[in-house]
Amino acid sequence: MKAAITLRDYELLSAHLDGQLAPAETQALLARLDAEPQLAAALASLTKVRALLRRAPQRRVPRSFMLTPQQAGQRSGLGAWSGFNFASAIAALTLIFVLVTDFSVNGLPTPLTARAPEAVMMMAEAPQAESYDAGEAAGNGPANPVETLALENTAADETRMAEEPSLKEAPLTLTGWVAYNAPVLEALLASLAVIAGLLAWHHRRR
Amino acid sequence: MNEEQWIKDAQAGDLDAFNRLVISYQGLAYNVAYRLLGDDASAQDATQDAFISAYRNLRSYKGGSFKAWLLRIVTNGSYDELRRQKRRPQLPLEPEPLDGEDAPDPAWMADPGESPAELAERVELNAAIQRCLNQLEDEFRTAVVLIDVQGMDYSEAAEIVKRPLGTVKSRLARARSRMQECLQGFAELLPDKFRLTGEGKP
């Protein structure tokens, strides 16, 4: 007879109680139970514990746990709200950026169409002047009406720059770069705002 | 009960169908949460959270036992709550009863056919069982709650806790052994036929 019951014995007894032992294991255990009263007592004890636990009363449900539409839709509502907030934030930042850019470059917000010719002329200034010089030196004059217009605008710009030296000597700064690329940047940011809006709409639909 | 159809409808967004599932399983879910957590308020929260989580993740249910899938959410939620309680233990606003049990509230256990003495005995017995369950490690408690208290079979319990059958068997054996030791301390509360001898402790 064994002096103490091991954990392994307890596992066997517990599985035997629930009919979880293989037939051969059951036979072996039954033989031991006949020979080891302590093991048999342990089985009796475990049987009582199991019976007691199975008698443990079930609590009555204190309330209904059915979901309300709000509980069910909480996540999608929150997602849409978050998406909406995110899109709004992007749109607002875009607007602020465009306004700040306008103010810092032009002093006041001006329509894109009003500034575009200036930007185009700033971009085209140097090469056109060279071509004009070269053409004039060769005695050829302006090649077409566009060139004529460009030459006239260049002349006007030179006059303006002579009156405002700060324009002529302005170094290439971030502000200058932004002003130079303003139309592209504005189009890019506007597209971003539209995409953000579409995303918000998509989230809401979901 | 056409559970499969309710699940399909619920997966398609039919809240009424899901609520039929809630009605079918809320008793089981609440009782498992209650036995794992040991108090009513936490069990209610865990049960409600589990159903909300189940509804939101219903598309991840790919068949098999819905009961096991749902109870896995309940047990995982209860483990989270237990961890949270361990990190931030809360002191009750009112002093605890001397025996350390919840204030007696036998109304939920009342059985029209039993005498006040029998009711009192059952209330005390239930408190003793819960106290012993509370002393077990979480995974042992889960095994004994699912298999002995809720009467599930080993394979169902293994599916719920996502552990091999052998692990569940071993945990259950240890849990029963510890419950036996603990319940011996409440011997005077136990009906005669359940009195434990105390022999053969490992």
Side-chain angles (χ1 to χ4, degrees):
Chain A
M1 189 176 91
K2 282 188 179 177
I5 297 169
T6 65
L7 205 55
R8 171 67 188 148
D9 291 336
Y10 255 91
E11 286 182 15
L12 283 172
L13 292 174
S14 177
H16 172 65
L17 261 183
D18 298 322
Q20 295 287 324
L21 288 184
E25 285 178 309
T26 305
Q27 288 304 316
L29 182 64
L30 289 175
R32 281 187 64 197
L33 285 170
D34 284 341
E36 300 174 32
Q38 206 174 1
L39 195 65
L43 177 63
S45 245
L46 269 188
T47 308
K48 286 179 182 174
V49 168
R50 192 181 71 151
L52 202 58
L53 289 169
R54 290 194 170 180
R55 256 178 57 116
Q58 296 292 303
R59 281 185 82 104
R60 195 176 298 152
V61 178
R63 63 180 173 87
S64 169
F65 292 102
M66 287 197 296
L67 302 194
T68 62
Q70 287 76 23
Q71 286 170 320
Q74 211 167 19
R75 187 192 181 196
S76 58
L78 189 65
W81 182 242
S82 305
F84 185 73
N85 282 345
F86 179 66
S88 303
I90 287 185
L93 285 174
T94 305
L95 182 66
I96 290 168
F97 185 79
V98 170
L99 286 176
V100 166
T101 308
D102 273 347
F103 272 112
S104 64
V105 173
N106 300 316
L108 281 171
T110 53
L112 182 62
T113 48
R115 288 200 320 274
E118 289 179 22
V120 170
M121 288 314 299
M122 285 171 71
M123 212 164 53
E125 191 177 334
Q128 281 171 353
E130 280 173 18
S131 128
Y132 171 72
D133 289 341
E136 208 169 40
N140 289 336
N144 56 46
V146 176
E147 279 186 14
T148 308
L149 181 63
L151 289 174
E152 282 169 3
N153 283 339
T154 306
D157 270 1
E158 279 173 353
T159 310
R160 192 159 64 89
M161 287 171 77
E163 287 168 0
E164 296 177 51
S166 61
L167 283 175
K168 195 175 184 178
E169 292 161 10
L172 183 60
T173 60
L174 177 64
T175 313
W177 182 86
V178 169
Y180 186 75
N181 294 294
V184 177
L185 284 176
E186 281 179 354
L188 203 66
L189 293 173
S191 308
L192 204 61
V194 169
I195 290 170
L198 285 173
L199 275 176
W201 177 77
H202 177 67
H203 269 279
R204 207 170 189 176
R205 294 261 305 174
R206 281 177 65 198
Chain B
M1 170 171 135
N2 187 356
E3 186 176 290
E4 275 185 32
Q5 191 57 48
W6 291 345
I7 293 169
K8 277 184 189 167
D9 291 347
Q11 282 177 323
D14 183 347
L15 184 58
D16 288 341
F18 183 77
N19 278 334
R20 288 193 185 99
L21 293 166
V22 172
I23 292 169
S24 299
Y25 287 108
Q26 62 183 1
L28 176 62
Y30 169 75
N31 271 283
V32 168
Y34 175 76
R35 290 296 180 192
L36 291 179
L37 292 165
D39 83 277
D40 174 59
S42 301
Q44 286 193 41
D45 289 348
T47 307
Q48 189 68 77
D49 290 348
F51 280 121
I52 291 172
S53 175
Y55 184 73
R56 291 175 181 173
N57 296 293
L58 205 51
R59 289 183 185 195
S60 71
Y61 169 73
K62 305 289 182 197
S65 166
F66 180 77
K67 180 169 124 182
W69 182 80
L70 178 66
L71 287 181
R72 192 183 312 143
I73 298 174
V74 173
T75 51
N76 286 341
S78 300
Y79 287 161
D80 289 344
E81 175 60 18
L82 285 168
R83 278 193 287 269
R84 194 189 64 75
Q85 286 176 4
K86 279 173 193 164
R87 279 199 307 271
R88 290 194 291 272
Q90 293 175 339
L91 288 174
L93 293 174
E94 294 173 13
E96 285 186 55
L98 288 178
D99 63 359
E101 299 302 329
D102 286 342
D105 178 19
W108 64 269
M109 287 171 60
D111 183 342
E114 72 185 347
S115 68
E118 287 169 333
L119 174 62
E121 184 188 86
R122 261 196 332 128
V123 170
E124 287 184 349
L125 178 62
N126 181 64
I129 290 172
Q130 189 60 48
R131 192 169 185 178
C132 289
L133 283 173
N134 291 347
Q135 291 175 9
L136 297 176
E137 286 93 331
D138 295 347
E139 59 269 27
F140 292 173
R141 190 184 317 131
T142 305
V144 86
V145 164
L146 293 177
I147 293 170
D148 281 343
V149 180
Q150 297 301 332
M152 292 177 200
D153 59 37
Y154 284 33
S155 56
E156 251 182 330
E159 197 179 341
I160 291 168
V161 298
K162 278 198 158 179
R163 289 286 180 273
L165 212 61
T167 305
V168 172
K169 275 186 193 176
S170 171
R171 284 178 182 179
L172 180 65
R174 286 163 183 249
R176 282 172 172 169
S177 155
R178 299 217 188 145
M179 286 297 287
Q180 179 189 336
E181 285 176 47
C182 178
L183 286 168
Q184 276 168 1
F186 298 94
E188 73 282 2
L189 296 177
L190 305 181
D192 286 344
K193 60 178 177 177
F194 296 116
R195 293 258 161 92
L196 305 173
T197 60
E199 289 178 60
K201 284 191 288 180

